[in-house]
Amino acid sequence: MTSQLDKATAFRALHERPGAFIIPNPWDAGTAKLLAAMGFEALATTSLGVANMLGSGGVSLDVILANARAIVEATDLPVSVDLENCGADEPKRAAQAIQRAAEAGAVGGSIEDFSGDRDRPIYDFSHAVERVQAAVEVARALPIPFTLTARAENFLHGRKDIDDTIRRLQAFEAAGADVLYAPGLYDLATIRTVVASLSKPFNHVMGFADPTLTVGQLSTAGVKRISVGGAMSRYALAAFLNCAREMKDKGSFTYIRDMAPVGELRAAFAAVTPP
């Protein structure tokens, strides 16, 4: 098995080479193995995907970390964890999620400024920056080069304020975050404006963006890392619902024609044996 240090070093290198790379989001060991078998170079967890898998409206930090460990153990690929708001409001408590993610075997993780409070969804600016500073402090104390991603969540929660989003990302960058992330940016012009305001790698999530955008276009705009969040999980569930509706409403089973071949699944699932 590849060591955590080697994974962390390889993950950093992906952010330093020319062009953008795709980091897809599995939600369990099986989907992680399938993505690894296809040749992807790194994986990121998705809290929405985990919630969907469990049939829940949300997931706790403990569940997020248990899922991350399962995905880490499924392949030799570097794994970054969607830690949501790190399970706490107070900066030092939130930062402990970074330590726990590393203990689960991950080589990267995120901290975001979404509070979880639907009435006041975004942390005040200074508090958000303090949280990133605390997370950076913990990440730098780890024995591996842990890649910390700081997320500005304005656009996902009804605050389509590009100036405030850039202000937050720039402050997170100054605080020491390795990757910046603003989910909810839709069009290429907005993405280009945000990326141009930063000097560190930017992660763009396609789950909330113009679906016609390509890796080439995003790379030219300066994006370094492209994720999809819970999009693949939602697509898989859409296919599941279509199968169920066909059976219930039409009494037919034509979806069977499009099933994944058993041999392909078994080959991917047998590729890595967890310790």
Side-chain angles (χ1 to χ4, degrees):
M1 298 291 286
T2 306
S3 73
Q4 188 178 17
L5 176 58
D6 287 342
K7 293 178 185 179
T9 302
F11 193 49
R12 280 293 179 95
L14 291 176
H15 295 80
E16 295 166 358
R17 73 185 187 189
F21 71 95
I22 299 174
I23 182 167
N25 302 79
W27 55 89
D28 60 9
T31 51
K33 288 186 176 185
L34 287 170
L35 292 168
M38 294 183 69
F40 287 99
E41 298 173 280
L43 304 172
T45 69
T46 162
S47 58
L48 176 58
V50 178
N52 290 342
M53 178 180 68
L54 298 175
S56 172
V59 285
S60 68
L61 180 60
D62 287 343
V63 170
I64 286 171
L65 291 167
N67 173 261
R69 185 180 295 278
I71 288 173
V72 166
E73 293 178 350
T75 83
D76 274 338
L77 295 181
V79 175
S80 184
V81 186
D82 171 9
L83 293 166
E84 296 193 331
N85 80 332
C86 291
D89 296 321
E90 196 275 324
K92 289 187 177 179
R93 283 189 58 213
Q96 291 310 304
I98 305 302
Q99 174 75 41
R100 294 182 64 190
E103 290 170 353
V107 298
S110 61
I111 183 168
E112 62 189 45
D113 60 4
F114 172 55
S115 67
D117 181 348
R118 296 294 171 179
D119 294 326
R120 297 187 63 186
I122 305 298
Y123 288 117
D124 291 341
F125 177 82
S126 60
H127 186 62
V129 175
E130 288 174 9
R131 284 164 47 84
V132 174
Q133 290 170 334
V136 168
E137 183 177 345
V138 171
R140 296 296 173 265
L142 295 170
I144 61 168
F146 189 92
T147 298
L148 178 69
T149 298
R151 300 172 43 145
E153 302 283 298
N154 275 339
F155 274 68
L156 283 190
H157 300 285
R159 292 177 44 160
K160 296 189 176 182
D161 185 336
I162 190 169
D163 291 333
D164 183 62
T165 297
I166 289 173
R167 176 179 177 236
R168 286 169 179 267
L169 292 174
Q170 289 177 334
F172 298 163
E173 178 178 47
D178 302 301
V179 177
L180 292 312
Y181 186 180
L185 304 184
Y186 185 81
D187 61 278
L188 195 61
T190 303
I191 295 164
R192 188 181 292 112
T193 297
V194 172
V195 173
S197 73
L198 306 169
S199 60
K200 289 186 178 178
F202 182 81
N203 182 105
H204 178 68
V205 60
M206 280 302 300
F208 303 99
D210 177 355
T212 67
L213 294 177
T214 66
V215 172
Q217 289 174 314
L218 291 169
S219 182
T220 300
V223 171
K224 178 56 61 178
R225 196 171 83 188
I226 304 167
S227 60
V228 294
M232 294 177 75
S233 166
R234 293 167 63 192
Y235 186 89
L237 289 174
F240 177 90
L241 289 170
N242 285 338
C243 295
R245 289 185 181 114
E246 180 183 351
M247 290 187 292
K248 184 175 184 298
D249 298 341
K250 299 180 180 179
S252 60
F253 309 88
T254 62
Y255 66 86
I256 289 172
R257 300 182 188 128
D258 298 320
M259 292 189 300
V262 172
E264 182 179 348
L265 298 178
R266 287 179 176 167
F269 296 160
V272 177
T273 302

